[in-house]
Amino acid sequence: MTIYAVGQRSARIARRMGVVVALVLVLSVAGAGAQTTKPAPSNPQLASPEIERRVNALLAKMTLEEKLGQLVQYNTVGAMSATVAAGQEADLATNPEANYHLDPMQLAQTGRMGSMLNVAGGARIGTYQHAAVDKSRLHIPLLFGADVIHGYRTIYPVPLGLAASFDPALVTSLSRMAAEEATTAGIRWFYSPMVDISRDARWGRSTEGAGEDAYLGAAMARAYIRGYQGDALSKPDSVAASVKHFAAYGAAEAGREYNTTDMSESRLRQVYLPPYKAAVEAGAATIMSAFNSLNGVPMTANPYLLDTILRRQWGFDGFVVSDYTAVMELTHHGIALDAATATEKAFNSGVDVDMMSHLYDAELPALIRSGRVSMATVDESVRRVLRVKFALGLFEHPYPDQPEVTAAVPEHRPLVRQAAEESFVLLQNKAGAQGPVLPLQAGVKLALLGPLADSANEMQGAWGGAHKAADVVTLKTALEERAAATGGSLIYAQGTEILSNSDAGFQAAEAAARQADVVVMALGESSAMSGEAGSRAHLDLPGNQQQLLERIVGLGKPVVLLVFSGRPLILTWAAQHVPAILEVWFPGTEAGHALSRVLYGDVAPSGKLPMSFPQTEGQEPLYYNQLPTGRPANNADLTQPPGAKSRYISRYIDAPNAALFPFGFGLSYTTFSYSDVTLSREMVALKEARPGAAALVVATATVTNRGTRKATEVVQCYVRNRGASLEQPVRSLQGFARVTLAPGESQSVRFPLGFAELSFFDNAGKSIIEPTDYTVWIGGSSLAEKEAHFRITR
Ligand code: BGC
């Protein structure tokens, strides 16, 4: 605390002396700040003298129309009429397809389209590619992009579920696999990864990202890029990634889709930007700008984010694509009164490619003529697009060289099954008279109930790629296989639909449950309830599933609740009444096998929550790494109504503050214990804490498997910094490791904490370390208790 006081006093003196710059130098060590010039291309996957030579040679031959063609993107429906595109007519939804009057095939043949999105199937893709390569004057191949978010034909868990694995190496393998499958259809560009941090479970797109934490989000972002882009983009099975949605889309107010975001520079840099930055540093070839506005400036026309931060400070060399019709939507945001201004603002801010608005091709020629857009800016954007096409080797290999993958690949099933197993999070497993309900005993008489137990289609989750429901193994199929193999029995009754008011199936479900030793209930959301435009104000089990759950639990049989969802749901009643709860997200093609293996204990669950599960919607946005308040609720009993002494603190009067299940939490079939945390030293001189410094302090703890089964624990390291010039989170994740231990086995786990882990961003956008006190925790969740302390001294 003394350090804090000294820091404050010095700050006041320095301000009085008018030497704010000196303050930064003396009191802190700062990372890179704003740069004024654009760095030359440096991404080794995109920049080479040969690529630059070819880009420039081609550019020199192109007409204006051909150049603009590279900056427009359509799907197979083509381009809508310019008036609709400009938002000057009625709602798009009420406009029939007749408004789309530019035939995409013609655009391809005449070089007036550079890329296409979501064209289904290799044959159709091939037809358009032939049109561009064979018929257009300069034979420039099209780039085909698609929303391959968690698999192409062989589907793995939704990204939020994958994040629960805390296993970046697994994510890289899966991404590589998806790239190998999709490239056989001619898709060389994925609109993935979505790296938006989401702290609000109401936001449906939480399912597409890695959850609420920047450190985990950045680790996952790197992992996806490595997998998609491989060692060389030019390999025929590599795809260019499109990191989306830049930026801070996940902070949409009230969790409502497409809504506004507004935040301090410090929060933006510290919480929301790290995963995008990590993806850029890992070599991401493209970025998709977001639908939302940030601090009043729509992200489709935001030069501060798209140019100053992305290109000048981070050195991003790829191209930026708008989100779907987002250039046109600038008129709806109210920052452009007409189509020309929307185009001018988007383009001059750094959006290189216009997805589906039909404005760059319609409006840029006049804007160039009138000088509102410069030819040099157009050339630069075209260069960026061509660079990616050359880097992908599209000019040499415009068509796939492998037979098209049209169904789930048998050899890929073990990997997606493993991914599903690692994604499941055991939230509760209470012991009854016979011990914990899970794992199930071989030969048990099971009742399987619920609308998600046998729904192949629903196992895919949002953006299920080009999956085929017939490829999916449902839980019912897998449990039947197992019952047949082990002498157990299975009675199935659906009970209800995902969204239904009818209790017509309840009786059959109760009858099935009465005959069983253990009841497994597969409840939750449909795939379509999360993902884009999937915001929910209520986070309960949809329809009358809660009633079914209560009826079945009322029978007194041991119940295992499997929660299928694309986001945290409210499980408050279940946590009080259901002995075993497993969060299983949307597990993908091998859903049934993975579930059956975990239920029967072939493998112990190891997932940890990437988002806090609230007790009630009113707690949202809810996240573990909150900033402290002046009236913390630390020791108050928040389960009781406030008394005189406990009212004027930061709390609700009608709900607890804490999550029902916090970030990082997840049980196993064994228990793990943690030793005390030790630190390599307790004092670090500020002058050592330079940007790039790797291991200023190393924190270590030993984790031991205290049970009787082999299992994997995600060991987590959290840090808090007290006494800084800005409030710092009550703790934040700065390291994690998956550790697999045999019964009785121990392992010591080290977390090197360097500048990246110990610094924070100020409101000028600089990352700094100040002489302050640090607390480090190591444990199995964000509630880890074992702690140690060190100090950075002046
Ligand atoms: C979504 C993007 C997606 C794009 C193309 C948009 O509506 O926001 O995430 O990549 O459509 O399908």
Side-chain angles (χ1 to χ4, degrees):
M1 286 308 111
T2 332
I3 289 177
Y4 182 65
V6 172
Q8 275 193 327
R9 195 177 57 234
S10 313
R12 273 199 304 274
I13 295 167
R15 261 199 306 279
R16 246 181 267 140
M17 291 167 66
V19 284
V20 177
V21 176
L23 171 74
V24 172
L25 293 176
V26 172
L27 281 188
S28 63
V29 176
Q35 288 174 345
T36 46
T37 51
K38 264 183 221 184
S42 61
N43 179 345
Q45 289 201 321
L46 294 181
S48 76
E50 175 62 3
I51 290 181
E52 289 312 289
R53 190 192 59 70
R54 293 179 75 184
V55 165
N56 287 323
L58 182 55
L59 190 73
K61 292 187 208 154
M62 294 169 83
T63 63
L64 177 61
E65 195 174 58
E66 285 164 343
K67 287 178 181 177
L68 298 184
Q70 292 305 309
L71 309 183
V72 300
Q73 174 175 98
Y74 295 116
N75 59 20
T76 52
V77 177
M80 60 185 111
S81 74
T83 46
V84 175
Q88 291 161 356
E89 269 186 13
D91 186 334
L92 281 180
T94 63
N95 274 296
E97 286 191 0
N99 282 309
Y100 292 81
H101 68 154
L102 291 183
D103 172 15
M105 191 57 77
Q106 239 195 336
L107 296 175
Q109 289 168 359
T110 51
R112 286 186 292 152
M113 176 170 70
S115 52
M116 295 190 79
L117 76 149
N118 293 336
V119 182
R124 294 182 100 189
I125 289 177
T127 314
Y128 284 102
Q129 191 67 302
H130 273 289
V133 171
D134 303 342
K135 303 209 171 136
S136 74
R137 192 179 72 92
L138 293 171
H139 315 290
I140 302 176
L142 293 167
L143 176 56
F144 292 91
D147 289 288
V148 178
I149 309 296
H150 50 112
Y152 180 60
R153 300 283 190 190
T154 322
I155 305 295
Y156 40 90
V158 290
L160 188 62
L162 275 195
S165 73
F166 281 70
D167 190 347
L170 171 76
V171 171
T172 297
S173 306
L174 293 162
S175 309
R176 187 88 294 275
M177 183 204 89
E180 284 166 11
E181 290 189 9
T183 49
T184 65
I187 297 166
R188 298 294 308 279
W189 187 23
F190 285 0
Y191 303 123
S192 173
M194 188 196 95
V195 303
D196 301 317
I197 294 294
S198 53
R199 295 170 147 191
D200 192 329
R202 293 172 296 181
W203 191 51
R205 303 200 82 164
S206 303
T207 196
E208 298 175 54
E212 73 190 41
D213 184 74
Y215 185 91
L216 176 61
M220 290 295 161
R222 278 181 220 109
Y224 282 104
I225 304 296
R226 266 186 222 126
Y228 293 153
Q229 300 195 172
D231 338 316
L233 273 177
S234 57
K235 293 203 177 140
D237 61 4
S238 290
V239 296
S242 192
V243 182
K244 67 189 190 185
H245 306 82
F246 191 68
Y249 185 25
E253 281 179 3
R256 204 184 73 219
E257 183 64 307
Y258 313 125
N259 206 9
T260 304
T261 65
D262 204 312
M263 67 181 73
S264 70
E265 183 78 18
S266 165
R267 174 168 289 194
L268 175 68
R269 299 263 188 174
Q270 198 145 322
V271 178
Y272 288 89
L273 292 189
Y276 308 102
K277 184 160 189 271
V280 169
E281 285 168 356
T286 83
I287 295 257
M288 187 185 294
S289 54
F291 283 127
N292 58 288
S293 67
L294 175 61
N295 303 334
V297 186
M299 278 310 312
T300 313
N302 196 318
Y304 178 56
L305 268 288
L306 294 173
D307 193 57
T308 306
I309 294 184
L310 182 62
R311 294 199 182 280
R312 292 174 199 268
Q313 293 180 8
W314 296 356
F316 173 67
D317 308 329
F319 69 80
V320 174
V321 60
S322 80
D323 206 341
Y324 203 101
T325 62
V327 177
M328 175 275 286
E329 290 168 23
L330 291 176
T331 56
H332 300 174
H333 278 282
I335 66 143
L337 293 179
D338 53 37
T341 311
T343 308
E344 177 189 2
K345 288 200 170 184
F347 189 68
N348 283 342
S349 303
V351 175
D352 301 296
V353 172
D354 168 8
M355 183 194 284
M356 293 303 294
S357 283
H358 182 33
L359 288 188
Y360 278 17
D361 40 0
E363 300 293 337
L364 278 174
L367 288 168
I368 295 165
R369 278 197 302 278
S370 65
R372 287 163 70 184
V373 165
S374 78
M375 208 44 227
T377 317
V378 171
D379 284 350
E380 192 47 41
S381 288
V382 177
R383 272 196 197 94
R384 288 175 189 145
V385 173
L386 293 179
R387 220 173 258 140
V388 171
K389 289 188 174 183
F390 278 115
L392 283 166
L394 271 182
F395 287 82
E396 291 75 33
H397 304 288
Y399 310 105
D401 61 356
Q402 296 291 319
E404 185 181 357
V405 171
T406 55
V409 178
E411 298 76 41
H412 291 168
R413 283 182 180 269
L415 184 63
V416 301
R417 194 199 71 208
Q418 181 200 336
E421 289 165 10
E422 288 192 19
S423 76
F424 302 154
V425 185
L426 184 62
L427 298 176
Q428 183 149 290
N429 193 17
K430 284 193 181 147
Q434 267 105 53
V437 183
L438 291 176
L440 301 172
Q441 305 293 317
V444 69
K445 271 166 70 182
L446 273 189
L448 174 65
L449 314 177
L452 279 308
D454 195 29
S455 173
N457 218 19
E458 296 299 347
M459 293 302 103
Q460 314 294 336
W463 300 110
H467 79 272
K468 290 184 171 155
D471 289 338
V472 171
V473 179
T474 67
L475 178 57
K476 175 168 171 279
T477 305
L479 291 182
E480 278 166 356
E481 282 170 10
R482 183 164 297 244
T486 59
S489 71
L490 182 80
I491 318 161
Y492 164 74
Q494 184 175 314
T496 189
E497 304 289 335
I498 292 174
L499 259 178
S500 165
N501 295 324
S502 163
D503 61 3
F506 280 25
Q507 265 190 355
E510 286 174 300
R514 279 199 193 91
Q515 298 171 58
D517 303 329
V518 176
V519 186
V520 174
M521 297 189 71
L523 305 182
E525 299 184 304
S526 66
S527 291
M529 291 180 80
S530 56
E532 186 174 0
S535 291
R536 292 182 68 194
H538 302 286
L539 298 176
D540 46 4
L541 291 168
N544 60 3
Q545 296 181 65
Q546 178 69 29
Q547 284 94 296
L548 178 65
L549 177 66
E550 292 182 18
R551 288 267 285 266
I552 300 299
V553 169
L555 300 177
K557 297 278 169 122
V559 172
V560 178
L561 171 60
L562 305 180
V563 183
F564 293 77
S565 68
R567 53 150 69 81
L569 294 184
I570 307 284
L571 301 172
T572 312
W573 185 91
Q576 283 163 13
H577 299 96
V578 183
I581 308 174
L582 189 67
E583 170 63 48
V584 302
W585 320 105
F586 290 103
T589 307
E590 279 288 296
H593 288 147
L595 284 165
S596 155
R597 280 170 46 82
V598 170
L599 289 173
Y600 279 93
D602 303 349
V603 58
S606 59
K608 300 280 187 172
L609 292 179
M611 278 183 90
S612 305
F613 273 47
Q615 316 227 14
T616 173
E617 293 90 346
Q619 294 177 305
E620 294 291 344
L622 180 67
Y623 49 93
Y624 80 97
N625 48 354
Q626 301 180 0
L627 295 179
T629 70
R631 297 202 176 180
N634 293 346
N635 301 317
D637 179 359
L638 298 173
T639 59
Q640 298 302 315
K645 285 198 187 134
S646 59
R647 185 172 179 115
Y648 296 97
I649 54 177
S650 180
R651 63 168 293 174
Y652 300 101
I653 60 171
D654 55 359
N657 283 12
L660 180 64
F661 300 112
F663 176 85
F665 174 79
L667 302 169
S668 175
Y669 293 156
T670 185
T671 51
F672 296 98
S673 71
Y674 283 84
S675 71
D676 288 339
V677 178
T678 57
L679 299 177
S680 56
R681 54 181 174 159
E682 285 167 7
M683 296 281 194
V684 176
L686 180 63
K687 62 177 182 327
E688 291 179 58
R690 299 265 162 225
L696 294 165
V697 171
V698 179
T700 308
T702 300
V703 54
T704 303
N705 180 348
R706 297 282 171 199
T708 53
R709 292 168 167 271
K710 178 179 161 191
T712 299
E713 167 76 326
V714 178
V715 181
Q716 300 158 50
C717 177
Y718 293 87
V719 172
R720 178 173 186 180
N721 169 11
R722 282 191 184 82
S725 52
L726 281 184
E727 284 182 352
Q728 294 305 308
V730 293
R731 58 176 72 187
S732 52
L733 184 71
Q734 295 299 345
F736 62 83
R738 282 177 65 86
V739 177
T740 302
L741 297 173
E745 197 186 350
S746 296
Q747 188 168 320
S748 145
V749 186
R750 298 170 78 246
F751 293 99
L753 302 172
F755 186 88
E757 289 78 20
L758 302 176
S759 56
F760 66 92
F761 280 95
D762 66 13
N763 275 314
K766 286 203 160 55
S767 56
I768 54 176
I769 285 189
E770 295 175 338
T772 54
D773 285 7
Y774 287 82
T775 308
V776 182
W777 294 264
I778 297 178
S781 84
S782 59
L783 300 181
E785 286 175 354
K786 296 281 173 64
E787 65 180 59
H789 302 265
F790 72 94
R791 176 173 282 193
I792 294 192
T793 57
R794 191 123 16 102

